[in-house]
């Protein structure tokens, strides 16, 4: 049975853990609010980009080099920059690793986020390049990633590009997914009957739309992934805070009972000694 001194030390430690979890919960709530606001604000523009690409039947920015179709694909793995977010990273990285082992040839890997880079080093997976994305990615950060992916595809280094990320459903649920980015889905041909006029010409407009659509797709997925990461962190820290509060309450009750038992025992001993000496 633990002594009162040990129980008090444990209570102090639990309270410190609860304070830390509460602070991280507050930070995660603020970051989630910002990430979710950015994701929500960008949805109409992202939908419009997809609609324009579909209407124009936008082709790939450039055809890949000859023989690239038999080459490896590129796997872009998103993750959070830190842990303490439940199974958010574990579920996604497990899905990626299973597909990586089954792929033939093995895909070329690009890691985005500290946890993804650390996972690849732990598993011995060679990483072509690492991109540092902030907790709330900016368009400039994702644009640099998109430019790298487009260059790899157009140079024929890879036959296609897949993005591994968590799709945000709600505060309690995020779904790991593998989203194909390149080659793009074939657009509808023969949209001239809809009365569109392309200036300077359809090929130029389609190429520009394809580039803009890819940029927007990566940015939207990165924001959705970031919102899911902050939501998972918020829920994990809230649970940790609640558990710490419950543990502290139970320890306080145990300490009070032990102290009361000691006081009662002391009173009984004193009374017994008084009766014997009286």
């Amino acid at each position: 049975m633990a002594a009162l001194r040990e129980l008090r030390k444990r209570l102090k430690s639990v309270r410190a853990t609860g304070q830390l979890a509460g602070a991280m919960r507050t930070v995660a709530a603020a970051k989630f609010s910002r990430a979710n606001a950015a994701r929500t604000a960008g949805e109409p523009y992202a939908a419009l980009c997809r609609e324009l690409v579909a209407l124009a039947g936008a082709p790939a920015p450039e055809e890949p080099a000859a023989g690239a179709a038999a080459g490896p694909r590129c796997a872009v793995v998103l993750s959070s920059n830190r842990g303490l977010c439940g199974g958010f990273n574990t579920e996604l990285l497990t899905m990626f690793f299973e597909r990586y082992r089954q792929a033939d040839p093995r895909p070329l890997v690009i890691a985005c986020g500290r946890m993804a880079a650390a996972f690849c080093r732990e598993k011995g997976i060679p990483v072509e390049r690492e991109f540092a994305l902030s907790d709330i990615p900016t368009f400039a950060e994702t644009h640099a990633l998109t430019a790298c992916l487009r260059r790899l595809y157009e140079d024929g280094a890879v036959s296609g590009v897949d993005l591994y990320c968590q799709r945000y459903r709600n505060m309690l649920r995020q779904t790991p997914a593998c989203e194909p980015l390149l080659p793009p889905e074939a657009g509808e041909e023969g949209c001239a009957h809809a009365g569109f006029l392309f200036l300077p010409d359809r090929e130029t407009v389609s190429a520009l739309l394809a580039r803009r659509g890819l940029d927007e797709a990566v940015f939207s997925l990165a924001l959705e992934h970031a919102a899911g990461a902050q939501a998972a962190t918020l829920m994990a820290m809230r649970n940790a805070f609640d558990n710490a509060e419950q543990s502290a309450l139970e320890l306080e009750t145990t300490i009070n009972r032990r102290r009361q038992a000691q006081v009662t025992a002391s009173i009984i001993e004193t009374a017994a000694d008084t009766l014997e000496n009286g």
Side-chain angles (χ1 to χ4, degrees), residues 111-194:
C112 300
R114 296 174 188 171
M115 299 302 293
F119 178 83
C120 290
R121 287 193 295 269
E122 178 185 349
K123 298 297 184 180
I125 300 175
V127 176
E128 176 69 16
R129 187 170 176 182
E130 296 181 15
F131 280 88
L133 299 182
S134 57
D135 292 339
I136 304 176
T138 63
F139 184 79
E141 292 173 344
T142 59
H143 178 71
L145 171 62
T146 305
C148 175
L149 299 179
R150 187 183 297 114
R151 184 166 55 253
L152 288 172
Y153 179 71
E154 293 175 353
D155 291 345
V158 296
S159 59
V161 177
D162 300 314
L163 179 67
Y164 290 83
C165 64
Q166 288 274 17
R167 302 302 303 268
Y168 176 81
R169 305 304 180 192
N170 52 54
M171 285 289 295
L172 299 175
R173 180 167 172 256
Q174 296 83 39
T175 306
C178 176
E179 300 291 340
L181 297 177
L182 291 172
E185 296 181 358
E188 297 179 2
E189 296 294 335
C191 65
H193 66 275

Side-chain angles (χ1 to χ4, degrees), residues 220-261:
S220 296
L221 289 172
L223 282 178
E224 189 174 340
H225 181 88
Q230 298 306 323
T233 302
L234 173 59
M235 299 307 298
M237 291 301 100
R238 189 179 73 173
N239 292 336
F241 178 80
D242 292 343
N243 291 337
E245 288 291 306
Q246 181 64 29
S247 297
L249 180 61
E250 293 174 357
L251 283 172
E252 287 178 348
T253 302
T254 302
I255 290 173
N256 291 335
R257 287 176 178 173
R258 292 278 185 87
R259 187 184 301 130
Q260 185 64 39

